Amino acid sequence: MSEKGTDRVKRGMAEMQKGGVIMDVVNAEQAKIAEAAGATAVMALERVPSDIRKEGGVARMADPRITEEVMNAVSIPVMAKARIGHITEARVLEAMGVDYIDESEVLTPADEEFHLLKNDYTVPFVCGCRNIGEAARRIGEGASMLRTKGEPGTGNIVEAVRHLRQVNGEVRKIVAMGEDELMTAARDLGASYEFLKEVKLLGRLPVVNFAAGGIATPADAALMMELGADGVFVGSGIFKSDQPERFARAIVEATAHYQDYALIAKLSKDLGPAMKGLEMATIGAADRMQERSW
Amino acid sequence: MKIGVLALQGAVREHVQAIQACGAEAVVVKNAGQLAELDGLVLPGGESTAMRRLIDRANLLEPLRQFADAGKPMFGTCAGLVLLAKEIEGQDAAHIGVMDITVARNSFGRQVDSFEADLEIVGIEEPFPAVFIRAPHIVSAGEDVEVLCEYDGRIVLARSGPFLGCSFHPELTGDHRLMQLFLNMVENRELLPTEAHYSKI
């Protein structure tokens, strides 16, 4: 007797990614570069976040041709993005055999009220969060992995730091709370009581939580690990840098050895310009991808 | 007894917890200098290609082979099994390459085909709950390899001298019986038939 699509299988897949780097790729060639550099998975999409930001328009699931080519090009897991609430895009990706779906605020949401009921799927999902309430709601819907959102496509780490500190700070508070304080906290945080009880019992989130949204250098990646991320997603940071291969390798190594500062110094030498990046103050409220999801 | 967990990437924490739950000391291993003090080493689940890149960049490949050559026990789960194998289907070269088996990667399919199943394991009485995630399996095994479990006609757990390897993730279930089996191998190391594993890298 065997059983597919169980929580253990879906969450376990994310556990195997820990300490790793998941890289955004838009074609098979980039996917091969990512794999050769030591990425633990690739995220197939049509445009990296910084291009979505620059070009505007509606961002959708990638052309299945791209995703298929990426799947055929590498032996590591392939993730792909579906729009928030877009049941059909998610089902299409599942039917194609994608290994993980990112229900992602980087794409233009299809539904501004409801996220996908991810428990219904055999394929596991990763979702973004900025605080413990968002984390709890996504896990409640069936997400098997989280990533703090940051602000995608900016090459600016400030929002990624804010969100990871927020989530981990809230986890620490919950762990320190008395049982009798949890119900009120559940009300205030928008998280279920059962979820908070689980966090308190485990002393951590019940699923793996990566950092994302603004990681542009090896030191950025190491910083997120230092702050307690289980691993990192790098979107525009690699293929928008001057030397993608070297950036990719350096970020992988810095993530694995995030407290070896002499090594990170060595890795960061002569890498050439990172992606240019954006100041948060220059991004209007309507252009902040992190506000998408509810 | 000190047991290391290779901590370049993957399910390190789970193995550390299993080792501690069995009453041994766990060491998180990131560089070659740490290997000398160890009685045994666990190669965790994760992504074998990513681990190999990090092994190379940390100059760990030769030290890991020497560790194996010295007859010190190693336990590989999933990606760790792939690291141990002498042959990997469809690839020119092995990784550490010390266990006389040929493995096929991702041989049960993609993530949507990942599954849980209860296994009958030689020498373990009650069924063992196993989690298979994009799992490899052992396609063929040398003469000295003891097959401890097959699932669906495929070898998923085997022992050979000081090496123990499985396709699945005992670290995800909280069932420590396989870790205990490994720790028994470490404890009784001098009794293991290591001869076959001393040569030819």
Side-chain angles (χ1 to χ4, degrees), chain A residues 6 16 18 36 75 99 256, chain B residues 9-10 14 30 110 116 134:
Chain A
T6 61
M16 298 310 141
K18 280 187 301 200
S75 66
D99 295 301
Chain B
Q9 191 273 315
E14 291 78 359
K30 283 187 184 268
R110 301 196 73 98
E116 289 187 54
R134 292 169 44 95

Side-chain angles (χ1 to χ4, degrees), chain B:
Chain B
M1 190 157 46
K2 274 191 185 175
I3 306 296
V5 181
L6 186 67
L8 298 173
Q9 191 273 315
V12 175
R13 179 183 67 212
E14 291 78 359
H15 276 300
V16 166
Q17 285 167 350
I19 291 165
Q20 290 168 344
C22 292
E25 186 182 340
V27 179
V28 171
V29 176
K30 283 187 184 268
N31 60 61
Q34 295 173 280
L35 292 173
E37 58 164 353
L38 302 177
D39 301 303
L41 181 67
V42 175
L43 308 170
E47 284 303 320
S48 61
T49 55
M51 283 187 207
R52 173 58 192 273
R53 296 296 172 273
L54 289 163
I55 284 173
D56 285 346
R57 274 176 243 156
N59 294 318
L60 265 163
L61 193 61
E62 276 313 311
L64 287 169
R65 286 176 175 168
Q66 284 161 11
F67 189 87
D69 273 1
K72 289 203 179 173
M74 294 170 112
F75 177 20
T77 64
C78 194
L81 173 74
V82 176
L83 293 181
L84 285 176
K86 273 194 177 161
E87 304 257 1
I88 303 166
E89 258 191 12
Q91 286 182 213
D92 294 338
H95 301 303
I96 304 172
V98 289
M99 188 170 177
D100 191 13
I101 52 171
T102 300
V103 297
R105 291 180 61 209
N106 304 336
S107 63
F108 291 88
R110 301 196 73 98
Q111 172 60 18
V112 287
D113 301 309
S114 293
F115 62 96
E116 289 187 54
D118 286 338
L119 304 179
E120 302 291 337
I121 293 175
V122 174
I124 290 183
E125 277 187 13
E126 298 291 316
F128 193 92
V131 184
F132 290 81
I133 296 174
R134 292 169 44 95
H137 86 282
I138 299 171
V139 183
S140 63
E143 272 179 20
D144 298 327
V145 178
E146 188 186 355
V147 173
L148 298 179
C149 180
E150 288 189 37
Y151 178 77
D152 211 10
R154 299 166 189 214
I155 304 171
V156 295
L157 171 65
R159 177 169 54 188
S160 171
F163 309 121
L164 179 68
C166 62
S167 299
F168 49 92
H169 295 284
E171 69 271 27
L172 288 180
T173 58
D175 186 321
H176 303 314
R177 288 176 293 171
L178 271 188
M179 181 58 76
Q180 194 56 61
L181 176 73
F182 177 63
L183 296 183
N184 294 345
M185 286 169 61
V186 176
E187 201 151 71
N188 303 311
R189 177 153 84 91
E190 59 280 11
L191 307 176
L192 294 170
T194 53
E195 231 166 293
H197 308 276
Y198 264 78
S199 55
K200 307 171 289 230
I201 297 167

